[in-house]
Amino acid sequence: MRLTVLGSGAACAGDGGNCSGYLVEDRGVRILLDCGHGVASTLISHVPPDTIDHIFISHMHADHFIDLLPLRFAVTKDLNGLPQPAGRLHLPPGGVRSLERVLDAVCFPPDFFSTVWNVTEYQPGDIQQLDREICARMAGGVHYIPGWAIRIDGSASLTYTGDTAPCDDIRDLATGSDLLLAEATLDEPEGGPVRGHLTAHQAAELAASAGVKSLMLTHFWYDADRDAAAAEARRWLETEVLVATDGAVVEL
Ligand SMILES: [Zn+2]
Ligand SMILES: [Zn+2]
């Protein structure tokens, strides 16, 4: 299993950076996890866009899905789409309605996505069989809107937190993963009733409690000190700590 980081930024990634996007390739199956600003153009420099078998969107914040618009044009410039949809777009619950509103706002036809991808919504507790030996599972996180973590099991196992505050369900989902790709958006823990992100320390605690083999921190603001985040995580975690940078490749 190979992970390529296409985008590792939070809602504003900074100069030259992309928002969330991760390409997972395993046994010939290509899976895109999230598709934030800038991801489509970077993706097509790595692989032909019509070879993506599955696209999973963790939640309907723009920094995680808005580049579905250019990615769709990368698959075909024809507004009529493909003769047959190729690949599947897996949206969170309510995602179909959200995309309909986006398409209405930007004056694209309502079948803009469904003529290139089979568009479905995943449900809590789903296990999605992507081929005979690769499956995806989701668990709900703690975020300002409903957000989901996604685990891919194949020749290795990878869990991506999406955006979340500390969350027992994501810990359970991630248990025993080879890699936990965890957001580390915050410098300081959030107080108050509304919470939606992790610090590097909290990401390390999540990795430790889930017993993962390695942790990769991601989802950084434009002004984040990524080295400091890694150093903070390493204070609390004995296993390997990596820091996502756009273009990074990890073999699992
Ligand atoms: Zn985000
Ligand atoms: Zn978010």
Side-chain angles (χ1 to χ4, degrees):
M1 180 182 286
R2 175 190 297 146
L3 166 68
T4 303
V5 178
L6 303 172
S8 56
C12 181
D15 186 25
N18 293 337
C19 293
S20 296
Y22 309 92
L23 176 64
V24 179
E25 296 171 278
D26 193 20
R27 298 182 170 122
V29 176
R30 289 188 168 136
I31 304 159
L32 176 64
L33 302 176
D34 279 341
C35 194
H37 310 272
V39 167
S41 293
T42 299
L43 175 73
I44 64 176
S45 70
H46 286 274
V47 294
D50 58 353
T51 64
I52 301 299
D53 300 293
H54 297 274
I55 303 168
F56 284 88
I57 300 299
S58 66
H59 65 296
M60 300 308 290
H61 273 156
D63 57 317
H64 296 258
F65 82 85
I66 203 69
D67 254 28
L68 289 174
L69 293 163
L71 183 59
R72 188 273 185 216
F73 277 120
V75 174
T76 175
K77 301 179 193 111
D78 188 342
L79 267 180
N80 294 315
L82 300 172
Q84 290 285 332
R88 282 183 65 188
L89 172 58
H90 305 257
L91 297 172
V96 169
R97 181 75 192 103
S98 294
L99 283 190
E100 285 172 354
R101 294 202 301 266
V102 170
L103 291 173
D104 185 49
V106 299
C107 304
F108 288 146
D111 62 355
F112 181 72
F113 293 118
S114 60
T115 53
V116 297
W117 299 309
N118 290 299
V119 182
T120 58
E121 292 184 356
Y122 54 78
Q123 300 299 328
D126 270 2
I127 299 178
Q128 305 250 353
Q129 206 67 39
L130 307 187
D131 83 346
R132 275 194 9 226
E133 296 174 309
I134 304 173
C135 69
R137 285 184 283 155
M138 278 62 72
V142 177
H143 196 45
Y144 311 111
I145 63 170
W148 299 82
I150 301 160
R151 174 172 177 147
I152 306 292
D153 282 293
S155 63
S157 52
L158 177 155
T159 302
Y160 166 50
T161 63
D163 287 3
T164 187
C167 176
D168 290 346
D169 287 346
I170 293 182
R171 176 203 61 206
D172 293 345
L173 182 77
T175 295
S177 297
D178 293 302
L179 179 72
L180 176 65
L181 179 58
E183 71 125 296
T185 315
L186 304 174
D187 294 329
E188 297 291 335
E190 291 170 302
V194 180
R195 304 178 68 195
H197 289 296
L198 300 173
T199 64
H201 176 189
Q202 290 168 332
E205 287 182 329
L206 179 62
S209 62
V212 303
K213 288 187 185 158
S214 62
L215 167 68
M216 175 180 272
L217 303 174
T218 191
H219 200 264
F220 293 105
W221 282 111
Y222 53 88
D223 58 354
D225 184 337
R226 298 184 187 213
D227 292 338
E232 176 67 9
R234 290 184 185 116
R235 287 182 59 206
W236 304 97
L237 191 65
E238 292 180 359
T239 53
E240 181 181 45
V241 175
L242 307 169
V243 179
T245 54
D246 295 10
V249 176
V250 180
E251 301 282 351
L252 299 172

